[in-house]
Amino acid sequence: MYSIALMPTEYKDDYQAQLFSNRLSKRLKHLRKWARKNGITCYRVYDRDIPEIPVSVDFYEFLPDEIGDKKSAARFTANEFARLSENDTGVQAEIASRSALVICLYERPYEKAESEERAWLSKIAQAASAVVGTEENRIVIKTRKRDKGGSQYAEDVNDIQSAEHIEGLIQERTSLFRVSISSRIDSGLFFDHRPLRARVRENASGKSVLNLFCYTGSFSVYAAEGNARLVDSVDLSNTYLERAKENMRLNGFSDEKKYRFIRADAAEFISQKKASGERYDIVILDPPTFSNSKMTDTVLDLVKDWPRFVNGCIALLAKGGVLYFSTNAKRLRFDESLIEMPANENAITVRDITASTIPEDFLQKKPHRAWELRRN
């Protein structure tokens, strides 16, 4: 008998793969029921639960290729759910054939030979395939390394392993989104913001909504689903704006007067809107932690710059308007004393809403923090 520390590498890898398999199986059993109940087809099933196995695993169930609109997606999902309820033995195999996994390896606190790491990752992927039923050629492996500041992780776009290109439509509750998990650093949809997206939808009826740093427009889709009268989606990237437009069209939102897409630097956009006098009932501010895009001369460091953006967004709020500010920057220190009160007003109500915005599949890690700032 070997102690774990003294085990030969091959035996240690097998042992850890078995530990991982057991934990993944337990989490999948719980989350699969939760996801079906809530109409969720993509979720995180493992997130560094075992310290010696520092990976995250995201599950994606893609819709069949022939489905491209909400009505057909709803019919398909209802039929699939009915088959599951009837214990149809073939439905799980069909789901597995359309599923994919993304396994992200987080940087270890110690050096490990690349050949050993890849052999270890291969066994982890094999274990995941066996538990979930996803074929190994539909498992994408990425690595995440600490940035220069040492506090945030960034994926290495040059280290993505996949046997094939994996892209398609997924369904989140009643909304459709196009995601790509093999050719990009990220898929285009952040799972951890599901509850905050739902909060926006619940409060958007008849209101004007600004989605800054809109990325692929998931918050914009939810705002439109909530019957917002106007949704402005702002991003500096044409690529992201085009994906945001596609996601809106997939969900039936194509009115160019109501749903506007604006390519702009966020800071410049805020300045221009302040001068124009146009105000919003809801503003969504979920910026990257750090950005030095070639498309702008400015560098965004949210740890330092957050007061400038938060106060700028507050200035764009209509009376009674609300700002939702979210960040995954661990080093950001949110200090209410840095909030600037609008002229001739006595209060901005600030609430930490983090606890209510963490979904079931992220409860153990708390991937972000969120605040609601309301102009009284």
Side-chain angles (χ1 to χ4, degrees), residues 20-32 45 131:
F20 169 74
S21 178
N22 293 342
R23 178 60 181 171
L24 186 65
S25 180
K26 182 178 180 180
R27 289 292 292 162
L28 185 64
K29 183 178 181 181
H30 165 67
L31 290 170
R32 189 173 268 164
V45 288
V131 170

Side-chain angles (χ1 to χ4, degrees), residues 43-312:
Y43 46 94
R44 181 155 294 186
V45 288
Y46 177 93
D47 197 352
R48 294 167 285 173
D49 300 27
I50 302 169
E52 294 79 12
I53 307 172
V55 301
S56 64
V57 181
D58 290 340
F59 172 82
Y60 292 81
E61 179 188 335
F62 288 91
L63 289 165
D65 292 340
E66 63 270 18
I67 292 178
D69 62 85
K70 291 182 70 173
K71 288 185 178 179
S72 58
R75 287 194 297 268
F76 173 82
T77 303
N79 180 61
E80 184 178 82
F81 188 81
R83 292 175 62 195
L84 285 167
S85 300
E86 295 167 358
N87 296 316
D88 185 325
T89 56
V91 67
Q92 286 294 357
E94 292 175 15
I95 292 172
S97 71
R98 290 183 278 105
S99 71
L101 297 178
V102 174
I103 299 177
C104 284
L105 171 66
Y106 287 76
E107 188 174 23
R108 297 180 187 271
Y110 57 87
E111 292 292 331
K112 187 172 183 179
E114 183 177 349
S115 60
E116 291 182 8
E117 193 74 280
R118 290 188 178 275
W120 179 85
L121 271 171
S122 178
K123 292 196 174 185
I124 293 297
Q126 290 169 13
S129 174
V131 170
V132 182
T134 302
E135 295 294 333
E136 286 188 56
N137 66 349
R138 291 182 63 82
I139 296 178
V140 178
I141 298 175
K142 304 179 182 181
T143 60
R144 305 195 75 187
K145 300 178 180 179
R146 289 191 181 275
D147 69 5
K148 295 178 181 179
S151 63
Q152 294 296 130
Y153 284 100
E155 289 172 7
D156 185 353
V157 73
N158 295 315
D159 196 4
I160 298 177
Q161 304 170 49
S162 175
E164 60 180 68
H165 178 70
I166 302 173
E167 179 175 318
L169 298 187
I170 62 93
Q171 190 172 28
E172 182 178 283
R173 295 189 169 95
T174 60
S175 301
L176 300 183
F177 297 97
R178 180 170 295 281
V179 299
S180 175
I181 65 173
S182 55
S183 60
R184 304 181 62 82
I185 295 176
D186 45 61
S187 71
L189 186 66
F190 294 125
F191 298 168
D192 62 304
H193 276 317
R194 276 187 238 102
L196 189 53
R197 287 194 283 270
R199 184 183 292 246
V200 169
R201 181 183 58 198
E202 290 161 8
N203 292 283
S205 182
K207 296 179 180 178
S208 57
V209 178
L210 169 61
N211 185 10
L212 274 176
F213 300 97
C214 75
Y215 189 43
T216 59
S218 57
F219 276 106
S220 300
V221 169
Y222 269 64
E225 293 276 15
N227 198 30
R229 64 176 174 82
L230 173 72
V231 181
D232 279 351
S233 304
V234 179
D235 205 284
L236 191 56
S237 167
N238 271 327
T239 300
Y240 290 156
L241 284 175
E242 287 302 315
R243 180 58 61 88
K245 289 178 185 178
E246 180 182 12
N247 284 333
M248 290 288 276
R249 287 194 298 267
L250 282 169
N251 291 280
F253 305 119
S254 56
D255 186 335
E256 295 181 358
K257 293 182 179 179
K258 287 182 64 174
Y259 312 117
R260 304 185 300 194
F261 301 88
I262 303 143
R263 182 179 181 270
D265 175 80
E268 293 179 4
F269 179 86
I270 290 171
S271 179
Q272 291 169 3
K273 286 296 178 181
K274 284 171 67 175
S276 74
E278 184 174 358
R279 299 295 181 257
Y280 296 90
D281 299 306
I282 297 175
V283 176
I284 301 146
L285 177 63
D286 181 32
T289 299
F290 183 85
S291 175
N292 57 351
S293 171
K294 296 178 181 178
M295 291 179 283
T296 178
D297 295 330
T298 60
V299 174
L300 168 63
D301 183 350
L302 194 64
V303 172
K304 298 177 182 178
D305 296 336
W306 74 265
R308 175 165 62 96
F309 281 98
V310 166
N311 287 319

Side-chain angles (χ1 to χ4, degrees), residues 199 203 322-325 334 336 348-354 356 369-374:
R199 184 183 292 246
N203 292 283
V322 61
L323 164 66
Y324 295 112
F325 170 48
F334 187 83
E336 282 192 42
I348 292 290
T349 302
V350 181
R351 286 200 306 140
D352 186 327
I353 59 172
T354 302
S356 65
R369 289 175 291 160
W371 295 266
E372 178 188 271
L373 298 94
R374 187 175 296 277

